[in-house]
Amino acid sequence: MSDTNKLQNAEGAEETNLNENSTGLDTNKAVEETSHTDAESNELVAEIAEEKVEDEKTDSIKNSHEHDEVLNEIEESNAEDAEDEGNKDRHKIEVKEYDTMSLEALAIELERLLKNEKVQAIRNHVNSINSEFKTKFQALIDEKKEDFINDGGHEMDFYYSSPVQKRFKAAYREYRKKLNEHYQSLEKNLKQNLADKLEIIEELKGLIDVEENINTTYKHFKELQERWRNTGPIPRDKYNNAWNSYHHHVEMFYDFLHLNRDLRDLDFKHNLEKKLLIIERAEELAKDNNVMHAFRELQELHKMWKEELGPVAREHREEIWERFKAATKIINDKRQLYYQEIDKVYEKNLEKKLEIISQIDVATGQESNTHGAWQKKIKVVEQLRDAFFNAGKVPIKVNEDTWAKFKEAVRTFNRQKNAFYKGLKKDQYNNLQLKLDLIKIAEDNKDSEDFETVTPLMKKIQSDWKKIGHVPRKDSDKIWKRFKVACNHYFDRIHAKRNAASKEQVEAYNKKNELLDKLKDLKLPKDKDESVNLIKEQISEWQKLGKVPNDKRFIEGKFQKTIDELLTGLKMAKNEVEMIKFENKLDVLNASEDSRNLDNERAFIRKKIDEVKSQINQLENNLQFFTNVEDDNPVVKEVKNNIKEHKESLKLWKNKLSKIKELY
């Protein structure tokens, strides 16, 4: 009896029982409470019973549909594996959190999969990686385009490419090439294998009509079964039809074997034993907490049940199938609960991303009227943007909508940023004109012999230059070089005139020599603060002695070295010693008539800050490749120590920059 017939008979019996058992009681109650007639009461009871049966019928059908869906899913997966044996490996390959990876990490992961795994097994992995890379690279392009337009460029002229994009494209092209080659080769084999299996089915059909010894026919039948099992994969869209046809004719052959029950029953017994082992394994898997592993093995069990084993005796068929289905349902129910837990995580990720979008909107709404304020906001939005990409996956149904909201929030912020900087451009062009005017003064006076008059003028225009704000970036370096060349030309001429040593400079040299000799024998107090004050007094006394002849300036280096040795002997933090040395150096630079030395020192410090920041960023990026490595790993510890040292160095350089800015 089929499941459908069973369900219908059960429903009919239940409906009859309800009508018979409920009518009298419910009718009396209806008469007492509502004064309905007996006919009306019977009609009401019948309606209630009918509704109950319909509800139970709906629940039963719903459960049947859900079970059919999981069986269909298993069959489709097995059909895919049957088409190409290499597909099985996809279940073993780790699916990483691609949404949290950087562009470079995504390219490296694609190359690793391509090198180490079968090309047909990584299709889903590659599709996910490709989708993430496109999303993140498009966001990067949008950002670069905004910067390009902000710098005065025209949108039509914008072009951007990067090494990581070229690297990813090269790996993806190789993947597509290998995949196409694989499927072209596979297609030929699939067609031939399908033809071979259809031929086996035709031979099975003919066994029933063959007039020969039953043992010979049975032996031929077993040979056909073995050929079927050894025939390779066929197209997945033909898989179920071919197997159903094969299974049908196998059962017909077993019915034909009723003339020789011994052979048939022996096969039935063997198949029953094997299927009971499969059921027992499925029931063990139903208790396994690793639900995804259990479901993947369940797929293999269904494949064995369907492809490797024949029918059993009719009296056992329904019983063992229902038992197998029951274990399958338990495993699938646990899998659905597992997916529900994942969905909860995705929902939390969605909340995080929506909160990030809200924070970007808040930043956009904050009024900012200065370059500094906008730079802070830009930094905040960049951090929020990174946090969005690292927040994890969200439910598929809202993924596109969430991404669209994020892009719109960032786009709105960028529009306001661009509007501000377009207004700022006007000021920058005014500043450009002011600096061009200073360049003209410098170039007109760079060959003047009136040093007494022109020197204060040149110093003033150098000071004025520093007070004028930013100019367009494309003009900044060019005009600075012109101004610097003119000023340097003038001051180089002054220095050439002053190379002759004066009497005062010689005296200063002699006195500094004497002081240097005393410093060599200087005994510092035990108290650190007293020692530092004493050293600073020596530095102050040295500076009061004045300048020395140009050809005697080496003595300044000797003094610096002596001071350094004294400071090194103190038990002080390295950075504290460095700052004392630097302040000493600044005093010397600031005392110079030529402000270029101070300017050069400031430029040098800024360059060092940029270099150290770049090194820190590189080291922090390197750490991303150690996501599954313990913190006590020697390589990880070394990288973290390097980051710490560089951050200490960065702090020192920033302190130096702050100190030198105080002199402007």
Side-chain angles (χ1 to χ4, degrees):
M1 184 183 296
S2 69
D3 290 344
T4 305
N5 290 334
K6 279 186 176 182
L7 180 63
Q8 289 172 345
N9 290 341
E11 288 165 351
E14 187 172 1
E15 186 172 357
T16 303
N17 290 335
L18 281 168
N19 286 332
E20 290 175 354
N21 297 334
S22 303
T23 302
L25 177 63
D26 290 349
T27 301
N28 292 335
K29 187 176 181 180
V31 169
E32 291 173 7
E33 294 181 356
T34 62
S35 302
H36 285 318
T37 65
D38 289 344
E40 288 172 336
S41 298
N42 288 336
E43 184 178 347
L44 179 61
V45 171
E47 287 177 0
I48 294 171
E50 185 177 350
E51 286 176 2
K52 182 176 180 182
V53 171
E54 286 300 322
D55 289 342
E56 292 177 354
K57 198 186 281 187
T58 300
D59 291 341
S60 177
I61 292 172
K62 181 180 178 182
N63 291 333
S64 176
H65 284 330
E66 288 176 352
H67 193 71
D68 288 343
E69 286 177 8
V70 70
L71 291 178
N72 288 337
E73 181 183 347
I74 291 173
E75 287 195 353
E76 287 173 8
S77 179
N78 286 337
E80 184 176 356
D81 291 344
E83 181 181 68
D84 186 348
E85 285 296 321
N87 282 335
K88 285 184 182 179
D89 292 347
R90 73 188 189 276
H91 303 302
K92 304 173 186 176
I93 303 172
E94 179 187 4
V95 179
K96 298 184 179 180
E97 295 182 353
Y98 303 126
D99 55 311
T100 65
M101 288 185 173
S102 65
L103 291 172
E104 187 172 4
L106 288 169
I108 291 172
E109 179 63 12
L110 176 57
E111 291 170 344
R112 188 191 68 79
L113 289 173
L114 200 56
K115 180 180 178 181
N116 299 328
E117 307 292 349
K118 294 177 182 177
V119 69
Q120 68 270 38
I122 61 175
R123 185 174 66 246
N124 292 337
H125 300 73
V126 173
N127 288 342
S128 297
I129 290 172
N130 187 44
S131 175
E132 286 297 334
F133 188 92
K134 284 182 176 178
T135 297
K136 291 187 174 180
F137 191 73
Q138 185 59 50
L140 177 63
I141 287 179
D142 292 343
E143 181 182 327
K144 295 295 182 183
K145 183 186 287 187
E146 294 288 350
D147 290 342
F148 178 76
I149 295 172
N150 186 46
D151 288 338
H154 194 280
E155 185 174 359
M156 296 294 291
D157 299 326
F158 174 75
Y159 173 78
Y160 178 77
S161 66
S162 72
V164 70
Q165 181 196 29
K166 293 176 182 177
R167 180 177 182 178
F168 184 85
K169 281 186 174 181
Y172 191 73
R173 280 195 300 269
E174 184 181 355
Y175 162 74
R176 297 299 305 174
K177 179 183 176 184
K178 284 187 175 182
L179 193 65
N180 289 334
E181 290 173 351
H182 170 76
Y183 281 127
Q184 286 174 6
S185 172
L186 181 66
E187 187 177 4
K188 297 177 183 178
N189 295 330
L190 292 176
K191 290 180 179 178
Q192 183 58 50
N193 293 339
L194 177 61
D196 292 343
K197 288 202 169 186
L198 292 178
E199 183 179 334
I200 291 170
I201 292 171
E202 290 301 317
E203 290 187 46
L204 275 174
K205 291 180 184 179
L207 288 180
I208 298 175
D209 300 325
V210 173
E211 295 182 1
E212 60 183 5
N213 182 280
I214 192 65
N215 290 325
T216 302
T217 304
Y218 182 74
K219 182 180 179 182
H220 188 188
F221 168 72
K222 300 303 287 185
E223 289 172 353
L224 289 176
Q225 282 189 310
E226 186 66 21
R227 278 172 56 194
W228 179 272
R229 283 192 287 268
N230 293 334
T231 302
I234 64 175
R236 75 179 72 169
D237 59 331
K238 308 293 184 185
Y239 172 78
N240 282 321
N241 286 340
W243 186 87
N244 288 333
S245 179
Y246 167 75
H247 185 67
H248 169 72
H249 290 292
V250 166
E251 286 194 335
M252 287 186 64
F253 180 78
Y254 277 114
D255 290 338
F256 168 71
L257 272 184
H258 70 279
L259 298 175
N260 192 327
R261 286 182 174 275
D262 290 341
L263 290 174
R264 184 184 67 173
D265 291 347
L266 190 63
D267 256 12
F268 280 174
K269 181 182 178 183
H270 168 77
N271 294 336
L272 178 61
E273 290 172 352
K274 294 294 184 182
K275 287 189 173 182
L276 286 173
L277 289 175
I278 288 175
I279 292 170
E280 289 171 4
R281 179 56 186 157
E283 289 170 345
E284 288 177 9
L285 291 173
K287 301 173 184 176
D288 193 338
N289 290 328
N290 190 340
V291 292
M292 298 310 294
H293 171 267
F295 188 78
R296 285 196 292 271
E297 189 172 337
L298 178 69
Q299 289 177 281
E300 290 293 324
L301 295 178
H302 273 270
K303 184 177 181 181
M304 291 168 59
W305 182 289
K306 183 172 183 177
E307 295 186 13
E308 298 179 16
L309 300 173
V312 300
R314 287 188 181 276
E315 63 266 23
H316 299 301
R317 289 179 189 176
E318 188 172 341
E319 176 190 351
I320 64 172
W321 176 241
E322 290 299 326
R323 187 176 164 190
F324 190 30
K325 282 203 301 183
T328 298
K329 184 178 187 307
I330 293 172
I331 295 171
N332 184 59
D333 288 347
K334 290 173 73 173
R335 186 177 68 130
Q336 296 305 319
L337 287 174
Y338 172 77
Y339 283 142
Q340 288 173 15
E341 291 302 315
I342 292 179
D343 287 341
K344 290 179 182 177
V345 174
Y346 288 176
E347 288 292 341
K348 289 183 179 178
N349 294 342
L350 175 61
E351 291 176 8
K352 291 179 188 175
K353 289 195 170 184
L354 292 177
E355 175 60 24
I356 289 169
I357 293 170
S358 175
Q359 290 179 35
I360 294 174
D361 291 337
V362 170
T364 303
Q366 292 172 344
E367 187 174 350
S368 304
N369 297 318
T370 65
H371 169 70
W374 269 102
Q375 288 301 304
K376 288 180 181 178
K377 281 174 61 170
I378 290 169
K379 186 176 181 180
V380 168
V381 171
E382 285 176 351
Q383 291 172 345
L384 290 171
R385 178 177 168 275
D386 292 339
F388 182 89
F389 285 128
N390 293 327
K393 295 181 179 179
V394 301
I396 294 176
K397 61 184 179 182
V398 296
N399 186 49
E400 289 187 8
D401 182 57
T402 307
W403 174 243
K405 288 180 179 177
F406 171 71
K407 284 200 300 184
E408 181 57 31
V410 174
R411 189 178 291 118
T412 302
F413 174 81
N414 286 332
R415 287 196 196 105
Q416 288 198 12
K417 178 187 72 174
N418 290 338
F420 169 78
Y421 279 104
K422 282 179 182 177
L424 201 61
K425 287 292 183 186
K426 296 178 181 178
D427 295 334
Q428 290 180 348
Y429 281 111
N430 290 335
N431 295 338
L432 174 62
Q433 186 57 51
L434 293 174
K435 288 193 173 184
L436 288 173
D437 292 341
L438 296 181
I439 290 173
K440 187 174 188 311
I441 294 172
E443 289 176 342
D444 288 347
N445 291 277
K446 65 187 178 75
D447 293 315
S448 173
E449 296 292 333
D450 186 2
F451 296 121
E452 187 175 347
T453 303
V454 174
T455 299
L457 174 63
M458 296 297 275
K459 288 184 177 181
K460 182 180 182 302
I461 64 173
Q462 285 182 326
S463 177
D464 290 345
W465 182 281
K466 296 170 187 174
K467 295 174 184 176
I468 298 173
H470 294 284
V471 301
R473 190 181 301 179
K474 60 186 177 65
D475 299 305
S476 181
D477 289 344
K478 182 172 62 177
I479 63 170
W480 167 243
K481 286 177 182 178
R482 278 183 63 189
F483 185 68
K484 187 177 179 181
V485 166
C487 292
N488 287 352
H489 177 80
Y490 176 78
F491 284 107
D492 286 343
R493 290 175 58 244
I494 290 181
H495 294 152
K497 293 270 188 179
R498 295 179 179 176
N499 277 339
S502 66
K503 181 180 177 182
E504 291 80 10
Q505 289 175 337
V506 172
E507 289 178 357
Y509 169 75
N510 292 332
K511 290 178 181 179
K512 285 190 173 183
N513 234 338
E514 292 173 2
L515 178 57
L516 194 58
D517 290 335
K518 291 179 182 179
L519 286 176
K520 293 177 182 177
D521 300 322
L522 182 66
K523 301 296 183 183
L524 295 175
K526 292 183 179 180
D527 184 78
K528 184 187 75 173
D529 293 335
E530 290 180 9
S531 296
V532 172
N533 290 333
L534 180 57
I535 292 172
K536 287 184 176 181
E537 287 174 6
Q538 303 305 312
I539 293 172
S540 177
E541 184 178 351
W542 179 275
Q543 291 169 351
K544 289 176 182 177
L545 293 175
K547 296 180 181 179
V548 300
N550 286 341
D551 60 342
K552 304 293 184 183
R553 292 184 65 184
F554 61 86
I555 197 172
E556 299 291 345
K558 288 185 176 182
F559 175 73
Q560 293 290 348
K561 184 178 179 182
T562 303
I563 293 297
D564 289 350
E565 289 173 353
L566 290 171
L567 289 170
T568 304
L570 300 177
K571 293 182 179 180
M572 297 174 60
K574 181 181 177 182
N575 284 3
E576 188 177 358
V577 172
E578 281 294 321
M579 284 306 297
I580 294 174
K581 293 178 183 178
F582 181 70
E583 288 171 2
N584 180 32
K585 182 179 181 180
L586 282 187
D587 289 338
V588 175
L589 294 176
N590 196 37
S592 172
E593 291 182 359
D594 188 355
S595 63
R596 286 180 298 173
N597 294 329
L598 206 57
D599 291 339
N600 291 339
E601 183 67 14
R602 183 173 65 168
F604 171 77
I605 292 172
R606 283 177 169 166
K607 182 179 179 183
K608 291 299 295 184
I609 288 173
D610 291 338
E611 288 176 359
V612 175
K613 282 182 177 178
S614 176
Q615 290 168 346
I616 291 172
N617 288 336
Q618 183 61 49
L619 288 169
E620 289 178 339
N621 287 337
N622 291 343
L623 270 184
Q624 294 181 7
F625 300 116
F626 297 94
T627 52
N628 296 321
V629 179
E630 297 296 332
D631 287 341
D632 60 352
N633 181 281
V635 178
V636 174
K637 288 173 70 176
E638 183 180 353
V639 174
K640 288 187 175 180
N641 286 336
N642 283 341
I643 291 173
K644 183 178 179 181
E645 289 175 4
H646 279 79
K647 286 185 176 179
E648 285 295 320
S649 175
L650 180 61
K651 182 178 178 181
L652 176 62
W653 286 112
K654 285 184 175 180
N655 287 339
K656 287 183 177 181
L657 183 61
S658 298
K659 187 63 68 175
I660 201 171
K661 282 182 176 178
E662 293 174 4
L663 302 177
Y664 284 86

